Amino acid sequence: MESRYDPTASESRWQEAWEAEGHYAAGAGARRDDTYVICVPPPNVTGDLHMGHALNGSIQDVLVRWHRMRGFDTLWQPGYDHAGIATQNVVEKELAKEGRTRQDIGREAFVDLTWEWLEKTGRTIMGQFRRLGCSLDYSRERFTMDDDYVRAVVTFFVRLWDRGWIYRANRIVNWCPFHQTAISDLEVVHEEMDDTLYTIRYPFADGDGRDGVSVATVRPATILADVGVAVHPDDPRYREAIGREVVVPYTEQRVPVVADERIDREFGTGALKVTPGHDPLDFDIGRDHGLPEPVVIGPDGCMSEQAADLAGLTQEEAGARVIGWAEERGLVEKREPYRHSVGTCERCHSRIEPLISLQWWCARTEPARPAIAALQERRVRYHPESQHRFAIASLEEAPDWCISRQLWWGHQLPIWTCPDGHLTVTVDEPSACAECGVTPLERESDVLDTWFSSALWPYATLGWPEETPELARYYPGDVNSTAREIIRLWVNRMIWTGLEVLGDVPFTDSIIHSTVLALDGRRMSKSLGTGIDPMEPIDEYGADATRYGLLKISSTQDVRFSYGAIEEGRKLAIKLWNVARLILQNAEDVTPAREPRDLEEQWILARIDAARADVEDSWARFDFAESTATLYHLTFDDFCDWYAEAIKPRLYDRDPAAVATALAALERLLALLHPVMPHVTEEIWSHLPARGSRLIVAPWPDPDDRFAADAAALERVQEAAQIFRRSGVQVELGSEDERRIFAAVVRPERVQGDGNRDAEVERLRKEVARAEGMLANERFVANAPDAVVAAEREKLERYRRELAALDG
RNA sequence: GGGCGAGUAGCUCAAUCUGGAUAGAGCGCUUGUCUUACAAACAAGAGACUGCUGGUUCGAAUCCAGCCUUGCCCACCA
């Protein structure tokens, strides 16, 4: 073994070996019939690994490696999402560099170009997952645009259609004027923006022009589509106005004043101009009051033909005209700077235009019902529990889902229209209209929301709708792990579609992992410049250290990235390497001889077994931070600082008994650490004598309570060591074992204690007094649990004993 | 505006659900030690009104109430 551990070379060597030897493949090394299945959340095909992926990859890999070692038939499914709007956005930007648009080259060429682009620059993340040591079954990589995946999506769509859950409706949607498509509420991000809030008077139609209802607006251009003014029914200011008509500025249309309880009396003037075509609230109010729904803004965000003489202007220009017109007539009462949050497209950050358009929708109430039941009955459990409640609430409140997008990159809707307007919805392209037999048919040009196809991920990757052996074996799966923000977009949808299609939930546990924040506590984001590329720490500290560090800090909802945690991981890897060298250097040519017998040998085996139980318990609860602490202290404190020091003299003597136990203990230690730090443990494993197999498929240690160690005896030695080091006084030890360990670890002949006996005596006297005080408190003795009182008594005795040794 | 977190040593975090033992680690700091695995180490040490104010209790970092600070997610206040 090299004297220094070099993670970089070692890690890539093992990553290649594991994959080449087939250990990542589903079922590799399975020693039992149970399956254990996790699907990686398919990352965007154009994306790079970010810190959230790295944490999530670490979490999933711990679970997968652990179960593989336990003998499960393990499948960790990799793959990519075609990410409709995100990918199209990237390719359109590339085109824009050449001064071209997608319209210039046409749909077919654009889709071809996108495939080419992905060929060149896409699909990088799986390589980065490999570099993190993630044991995904890369041979099974799937893509949501694979032919058979497309077939699954279309089949699912037809199924929902047959269920009557898909329909077309003219409704207000979020419209991105850059991408020229509808997007869902969940794809809209709100950003603070500065605007001007105008207060404008709408005069009564039957008045003298001085009297009217004043409204506030930040978008004066939408005045052209005003069809009414709404006030709260109980607002005394407007009691007289309800039912009268007012005149809309510029258009000079007479529109009614209506009463609606959704109006916030506190805001602005307490009166709302109703623009159903361009505002979601106004849309609802308009429908309920039977108002018309004119649309004056076009798909490009500029004024449309319906804006009459303002057609073709930008909204700013049109707004200025309208304000100018109103100003000349003395209708503008106020203009004030106004900062508010505005919806923008999450991809291009264009200001979202709410507008009415004809879109395809998926009903939500009916499909969600079985999923809500499954969550309430805890057939699926979100972790942590707070997210479980959130997930249920989200399903209960979900509005219908706008599934159509006016994009080119994606799954085209399997809907064909005949010249008579009949719709044919089938999986395979129909030759003629199903209703009247007429041709030609025209296929719906819209594509599906990206998340429509991601919702099928757990079973479409297994070959559904075909009844494949994989589907039968690996569905339902076990665990899903992902970020908080896609609970509604993705996780909930997998649950309800799984129940719909296969009658069973796709997994039983849904982990919502921490959000990794930047060092300053803000969100990691490219635009803020706060992002840290996980490949940096992987290259600098190693994948094992990075995995360890991310898991260590993953305990709370939001967590700051920390180089310190990763350095701790590096230290642990180095420590393991060195202690393995100590043992192996002295193990050559030694034939292991007997069962562990001595105190320190039984003690370390008992400690390792206790850590095994703790780690299993932590992982069963998906508490990965806790497990890193257990493993760190087992390695440093117990294994290295006590056990290894205690057996050193006999290792130097090449005592076959000591060597045998040391090797056995080291093997168990490596096995426990392998899921967290796979590379360094496999590297050391490869140096162990008589090791045919790989650690990655070695059996996870069974419970081992054969050696009930006298833990109290070891603790006596540890106390004696501390007293000696502080005071220079040797406390008398009872057994030969205790004296031997003390001599080996402390080496009193070489190390002089600090000799501060007085300070030590003082400290012990204070402890004695404190313990005596507590035990003298009758109410404490009466009320506290017996174990607490007993522990206090024990402590008091120990302090008195130690005090006697020092004083004596 | 709604939901969910966080506030403990100079820094990053444990312990809080289920009240109890000297509030633990790592980094940093001080002191000593190159000891045939490791100075990327070992040993000893300093360092904490556990955000604030009350309450419950023999006992509160932990439970209750209120307040302050801060983060994330969600949201149609024109």
Side-chain angles (χ1 to χ4, degrees), chain A residues 1-69:
Chain A
M1 290 176 79
E2 302 294 320
S3 62
R4 277 175 175 243
Y5 175 60
D6 172 16
T8 315
S10 169
E11 288 180 351
S12 49
R13 193 165 66 244
W14 288 113
Q15 287 154 11
E16 284 161 26
W18 287 325
E19 196 175 343
E21 292 167 10
H23 300 307
Y24 287 175
R31 294 183 302 277
R32 54 201 279 184
D33 199 40
D34 325 28
T35 58
Y36 188 76
V37 181
I38 300 181
C39 293
V40 87
N44 287 1
V45 64
T46 57
D48 272 306
L49 193 82
H50 61 58
M51 211 51 90
H53 293 130
L55 170 61
N56 202 14
S58 304
I59 287 171
Q60 293 169 74
D61 199 41
V62 166
L63 294 172
V64 166
R65 284 181 185 269
W66 179 38
H67 283 85
R68 189 183 288 117
M69 291 175 80

Side-chain angles (χ1 to χ4, degrees), chain A residues 502-722:
Chain A
L502 292 159
D504 207 346
V505 293
F507 37 77
T508 53
D509 293 282
S510 171
I511 302 170
I512 302 303
H513 67 241
S514 319
T515 303
V516 184
L517 303 174
L519 296 167
D520 61 2
R522 287 185 300 166
R523 189 180 169 71
M524 271 200 192
S525 110
K526 273 186 192 153
S527 54
L528 291 172
T530 50
I532 296 172
D533 180 352
M535 301 317 283
E536 275 177 37
I538 290 173
D539 288 338
E540 193 180 341
Y541 299 88
D544 283 339
T546 304
R547 294 160 61 109
Y548 175 96
L550 287 172
L551 293 170
K552 177 187 162 74
I553 62 175
S554 69
S555 57
T556 49
Q557 179 175 296
D558 304 300
V559 63
R560 291 182 190 206
F561 180 77
S562 158
Y563 284 106
I566 294 177
E567 271 171 32
E568 189 176 307
R570 176 167 64 178
K571 274 181 48 175
L572 179 55
I574 292 166
K575 194 71 174 172
L576 275 175
W577 179 256
N578 283 316
V579 79
R581 286 180 59 220
L582 168 71
I583 294 169
L584 289 169
Q585 276 171 7
N586 294 291
E588 292 161 32
D589 310 324
V590 175
T591 312
R594 64 153 174 81
E595 289 282 279
R597 182 195 60 207
D598 294 323
L599 173 60
E600 66 271 35
E601 299 182 323
Q602 299 193 349
W603 176 81
I604 192 60
L605 289 169
R607 295 293 289 182
I608 290 172
D609 194 55
R612 175 201 55 77
D614 286 349
V615 163
E616 287 176 359
D617 179 59
S618 300
W619 289 344
R621 288 180 288 105
F622 307 113
D623 186 339
F624 301 95
E626 193 175 75
S627 68
T628 58
T630 304
L631 293 169
Y632 187 91
H633 290 112
L634 175 69
T635 305
F636 270 81
D637 301 347
D638 297 341
F639 198 91
C640 294
D641 295 342
W642 280 94
Y643 172 66
E645 293 298 335
I647 61 167
K648 239 180 196 176
R650 286 186 294 156
L651 278 181
Y652 294 154
D653 291 346
R654 309 217 157 190
D655 171 347
V659 168
T661 309
L663 286 172
L666 179 61
E667 279 178 20
R668 294 197 132 224
L669 180 69
L670 293 174
L672 296 190
L673 278 150
H674 181 261
V676 174
M677 312 189 82
H679 308 88
V680 68
T681 50
E682 186 79 82
E683 176 72 47
I684 296 169
W685 187 266
S686 73
H687 290 90
L688 294 178
R691 272 297 136 209
S693 68
R694 297 285 183 227
L695 178 55
I696 186 175
V697 287
W700 178 256
D702 287 327
D704 181 7
D705 53 6
R706 288 175 297 158
F707 311 109
D710 185 357
L714 214 291
E715 276 167 31
R716 280 195 294 276
V717 179
Q718 293 179 333
E719 285 159 24
Q722 193 179 32

Side-chain angles (χ1 to χ4, degrees), chain A residues 196-201 215-217 268-269 323 327 331-337:
Chain A
T196 303
L197 183 68
Y198 298 96
T199 305
I200 301 169
R201 188 167 75 254
V215 302
T217 184
T269 61
I323 289 296
E327 212 146 39
L331 298 174
V332 179
E333 298 181 335
K334 218 194 297 179
R335 55 172 81 204
E336 52 202 319

Side-chain angles (χ1 to χ4, degrees), chain A residues 118-133:
Chain A
L118 294 181
E119 214 52 51
K120 275 187 298 186
T121 68
R123 301 173 190 251
T124 55
I125 293 188
M126 292 306 141
Q128 292 168 317
F129 272 136
R130 283 183 171 93
R131 183 63 193 85
L132 188 60

Side-chain angles (χ1 to χ4, degrees), chain A residues 223 225-229 248 254-256 273-276 282 286 291-294:
Chain A
I223 287 175
D226 281 355
V227 295
V229 167
V248 177
R254 295 163 65 118
V255 300
K273 70 185 204 56
V274 182
T275 321
D282 299 24
L291 299 173
E293 297 172 353

